[in-house]
Amino acid sequence: MIDSFPEEISHDILSRLPIKCLIRCTSVSKPLLSIIKNSGFIRTHLRRRHETLLLLHSRCYRASMHEGTEEVYRLHCDNPAFDEYCRIDFQVDRMVDPINGRFRVAGICDGLVCLADDLISKALSYIIWNPTIRKAVMLPRPGFTFTTHGPFEDSIGFGFDAMTNDYKVVRLVTLENLVDEDAENPTVAEVYSLATGSWRSLGSVGLPCKIFCTRPHAFFNGNIHWVVHAVASFYFILAFDLDSESFRKILIPIGTELGFNSRVSVTGDGKYLALFTWYNDKNDISYLDIWVMKEYCQQESWTKMITLAPQGPEGSVRPKPFCFRKSGEVFLELREPYFYRRYQTLVSLDPVSQQMNNVDILDCECYSLDSYEESLVLLDVENAVSC
Amino acid sequence: MKKISVRTSDGQEFELEENLAMESATIKTSLDAFSRDDIILLPNVNSWEMVKIIEFFTKVQELETKFGVKFMEKKEGRFLEAFQAEFDKDLSDDNLYCLLWTVDYLGIEVLLENLCHLMAERTKNKTVESCRNLFGVQHDYTPEEEAEIREDYSWAFEGPEIEE
């Protein structure tokens, strides 16, 4: 009976169901399987705005402290209590052994997590993983490698191309062995498409710039954004439009000088591109500025939300931002410098009131914290493996 | 308030409040095409369904007043839960199906929202077998095919929330 309903109705009913239930429903009948695995339905389900969660990637002590530590992925509710939603088992060694000891969460989009094995050594190993349905795809080796192009620096971005309904990984590569005119334009790019399962070179980025370390990107407005270093020691934000596959320069706030750790982000409501930057005052004290771009691509519209001075009794703790919360607050890590602390403090900052609240993450060292929503994406990808 | 007359498939006539009638895209289209004094024929709607729809709509108006929720915001959780609490237990699965078809035919968005929510709530924690009964679908998997899905997604088939 349900499969004889008009599509709008069966989609409406099914899109309200939790994912575990939908997976069970795929074994109810073949017509139901085909409704649920349909990419149109997967997007309908995604659009229904289920609970906003947070993906925490951390290192924690095992149940008994004598047993050492373990790498953990957990989902939390994005509420004041930061309640644990569920713990995720990711059997990564079924797929590949990361040469850097662990993967890095490089980006998240529509419930897909892009993992990269590039913390120190460039393994050129990437995985697209959906922790909710426990499926993953290993990417093939990219085109720009040490063997083919010599030494390089690289950085990846991950996003969704709405025109072709395809998830893409974009890799920026700054080649170090170029000479003459080529050396002025050292950055090239390539794009991986989930739909085709392969990398394709985009050639030169076309704007003189350099990537110099693994840099968090931001996917916003159909574009992937990175802070890049312009050849003449300035910085700008490089934006890649996934639809037109073109690069463009977005200028940083007037009068700022970005620092090494500057990074782009997106506000919690998804409405604005944001920028975290540090600057030093004349006493060499570092301040964290959080900027928001009120009108996309309009340099004059950069608005400073807050300037955060160093924290701690001696003013020596530099805050490191993780991400915005749906409420507009910002997750920050406060960690003592020059001293390896096993436990750092995670706080939630309200940029308006400037109030900071501690977030209890149970004595774990937080690698990354990003907003996340559950989805069925990858359910319709035949070569996705269970993990 | 003006009343609009409708006649259901089994010949019964109902007088609907104008504001209820206008929530139905189908009735509204008929009203625009013909005079408001004519009786509108609804050959796809049974009288028991019409009774239910009027009951539903009265409840919706009551909840609107209680929660102060405007029409377009009716996707709010409390609203859906209150509606469910009132009507769920007396509605059989078959009746729910019929009403879903009818409300869709009549184009009454707010009621469709509530009925889809009811249907989803009934499905949520059911086992595969129960879902088959609820949805009225044929079991068209071979045992091997079904076992393959269960093995591939074993985590989805276990859990304390699944009713027997």
Side-chain angles (χ1 to χ4, degrees):
Chain A
M1 266 193 261
I2 192 171
D3 40 349
S4 56
F5 272 131
E7 190 178 85
E8 249 173 53
I9 301 204
S10 56
H11 278 207
D12 188 320
I13 296 170
L14 292 170
S15 68
R16 293 164 193 266
L17 296 175
I19 289 189
K20 242 174 131 171
C21 179
L22 282 169
I23 301 286
R24 283 201 298 283
C25 285
T26 61
S27 71
V28 163
S29 74
K30 290 181 184 177
L32 213 51
L33 170 75
S34 112
I35 294 177
I36 295 169
K37 264 197 170 178
N38 172 270
S39 62
F41 173 71
I42 291 175
R43 292 223 68 76
T44 303
H45 180 268
L46 187 60
R47 270 197 302 271
R48 192 167 271 282
R49 293 281 141 235
H50 301 263
E51 199 173 345
T52 310
L53 301 167
L54 294 154
L55 179 68
L56 173 66
H57 182 206
S58 60
R59 176 158 294 278
C60 303
Y61 275 105
R62 292 181 197 274
S64 155
M65 277 179 71
H66 307 296
E67 291 170 37
T69 62
E70 56 176 348
E71 189 188 340
V72 172
Y73 289 95
R74 284 200 309 253
L75 284 175
H76 284 260
C77 302
D78 189 2
N79 59 17
F82 198 64
D83 296 314
E84 183 175 314
Y85 182 76
C86 69
R87 181 165 158 158
I88 302 169
D89 284 316
F90 180 48
Q91 280 133 5
V92 70
D93 44 25
R94 263 203 223 173
M95 302 199 75
V96 72
D97 204 6
I99 65 172
N100 287 290
R102 66 171 176 88
F103 281 96
R104 171 180 75 91
V105 171
I108 297 186
C109 182
D110 292 350
L112 292 182
V113 181
C114 182
L115 297 171
D117 182 10
D118 62 3
L119 276 170
I120 298 164
S121 300
K122 307 287 185 184
L124 303 185
S125 170
Y126 308 100
I127 294 177
I128 292 178
W129 170 44
N130 184 334
T132 308
I133 62 169
R134 311 194 193 185
K135 290 280 179 184
V137 169
M138 266 227 61
L139 272 58
R141 206 164 157 75
F144 295 106
T145 69
F146 180 78
T147 320
T148 57
H149 289 79
F152 61 84
E153 269 299 337
D154 71 350
S155 183
I156 62 166
F158 182 50
F160 175 69
D161 178 356
M163 284 293 132
T164 54
N165 200 25
D166 189 14
Y167 291 90
K168 292 180 172 169
V169 177
V170 180
R171 182 169 172 252
L172 297 181
V173 183
T174 297
L175 301 170
E176 291 171 13
N177 269 359
L178 298 177
V179 291
D180 304 329
E181 316 88 59
D182 289 339
E184 280 164 40
N185 250 313
T187 302
V188 292
E190 54 185 334
V191 60
Y192 167 84
S193 141
L194 187 62
T196 66
S198 59
W199 290 95
R200 175 170 40 94
S201 171
L202 297 167
S204 167
V205 155
L207 293 163
C209 63
K210 284 183 182 181
I211 285 286
F212 51 90
C213 70
T214 309
R215 176 76 34 115
H217 66 275
F219 174 61
F220 172 75
N221 203 27
N223 283 255
I224 298 177
H225 304 79
W226 299 261
V227 172
V228 295
H229 183 110
V231 178
S233 5
F234 291 109
Y235 295 79
F236 62 87
I237 294 170
L238 184 66
F240 178 71
D241 184 324
L242 285 176
D243 174 31
S244 63
E245 294 199 340
S246 57
F247 286 95
R248 151 182 45 181
K249 184 193 277 201
I250 296 180
L251 299 173
I252 62 176
I254 298 167
T256 55
E257 282 175 34
L258 299 195
F260 188 73
N261 287 315
S262 303
R263 46 165 297 193
V264 273
S265 183
V266 182
T267 55
D269 53 12
K271 287 188 182 159
Y272 306 111
L273 192 65
L275 185 62
F276 297 113
T277 81
W278 279 264
Y279 74 90
N280 285 359
D281 69 1
K282 55 186 188 312
N283 297 320
D284 223 25
I285 306 228
S286 285
Y287 292 82
L288 170 67
D289 279 348
I290 304 180
W291 296 84
V292 159
M293 191 177 224
K294 292 286 182 175
E295 303 273 340
Y296 188 59
C297 292
Q298 304 296 323
Q299 188 190 23
E300 326 76 61
S301 76
W302 279 113
T303 308
K304 195 187 295 190
M305 279 182 113
I306 186 174
T307 293
L308 206 58
Q311 302 293 304
E314 283 155 52
S316 58
V317 177
R318 258 174 63 136
K320 171 183 156 184
F322 280 120
C323 67
F324 280 84
R325 307 181 75 159
K326 198 167 79 167
S327 61
E329 290 183 14
V330 181
F331 278 121
L332 303 172
E333 173 204 286
L334 303 180
R335 184 198 280 255
E336 297 284 347
Y338 314 120
F339 170 77
Y340 175 71
R341 277 196 56 195
R342 203 178 298 281
Y343 315 116
Q344 73 237 45
T345 317
L346 181 68
V347 297
S348 181
L349 163 75
D350 180 344
V352 171
S353 69
Q354 305 221 1
Q355 199 180 339
M356 278 198 220
N357 290 315
N358 269 6
V359 179
D360 182 12
I361 50 169
L362 312 169
D363 291 344
C364 295
E365 182 195 344
C366 179
Y367 293 141
S368 69
L369 184 57
D370 298 280
S371 70
Y372 181 82
E373 45 187 320
E374 294 182 305
S375 81
L376 293 163
V377 185
L378 282 197
L379 189 64
D380 55 344
V381 172
E382 288 310 318
N383 62 333
V385 297
S386 296
C387 58
Chain B
M1 188 174 299
K2 184 122 207 288
K3 302 264 192 186
I4 309 285
S5 300
V6 299
R7 188 183 295 148
T8 55
S9 60
D10 46 353
Q12 209 169 323
E13 279 178 24
F14 291 87
E15 290 216 317
L16 305 177
E17 303 271 336
E18 190 175 14
N19 61 342
L20 159 58
M22 298 307 267
E23 292 297 350
S24 159
T26 310
I27 295 179
K28 186 163 182 296
T29 312
S30 298
L31 286 175
D32 289 341
F34 303 107
S35 153
R36 285 176 182 233
D37 295 325
D38 291 342
I39 294 183
I40 296 182
L41 301 177
L42 299 174
N44 291 341
V45 182
N46 205 288
S47 59
W48 74 264
E49 291 168 334
M50 199 71 238
V51 167
K52 265 293 184 230
I53 287 171
I54 294 173
E55 226 183 283
F56 287 162
F57 197 72
T58 313
K59 186 70 186 176
V60 163
Q61 286 181 306
E62 194 189 294
L63 291 175
E64 220 179 15
T65 318
K66 179 176 173 189
F67 290 126
V69 172
K70 290 206 258 305
F71 174 63
M72 287 316 283
E73 292 160 28
K74 287 185 176 49
K75 292 170 201 288
E76 209 207 281
R78 292 178 302 169
F79 187 85
L80 294 172
E81 279 159 24
F83 186 93
Q84 181 185 349
E86 178 83 19
F87 293 112
D88 194 31
K89 47 193 181 320
D90 298 323
L91 217 48
S92 71
D93 292 343
D94 282 340
N95 283 354
L96 182 52
Y97 273 115
C98 292
L99 285 165
L100 265 165
W101 274 107
T102 305
V103 164
D104 180 50
Y105 162 72
L106 288 173
I108 308 178
E109 235 182 82
V110 60
L111 290 187
L112 200 53
E113 178 80 31
N114 278 296
L115 294 179
C116 286
H117 172 78
L118 273 188
M119 194 69 211
E121 287 297 306
R122 286 186 187 195
T123 312
K124 251 183 184 170
N125 294 325
K126 290 218 155 40
T127 59
V128 174
E129 223 16 83
S130 312
C131 280
R132 276 196 196 111
N133 293 332
L134 176 64
F135 293 151
V137 295
Q138 290 271 33
H139 182 175
D140 55 357
Y141 278 109
T142 66
E144 294 80 30
E145 286 169 334
E146 192 173 341
E148 209 185 307
I149 300 184
R150 280 179 181 261
E151 200 192 308
D152 208 11
Y153 295 98
S154 56
W155 51 270
F157 292 86
E158 352 168 293
E161 78 278 7
I162 303 174
E163 296 154 6
E164 279 313 308

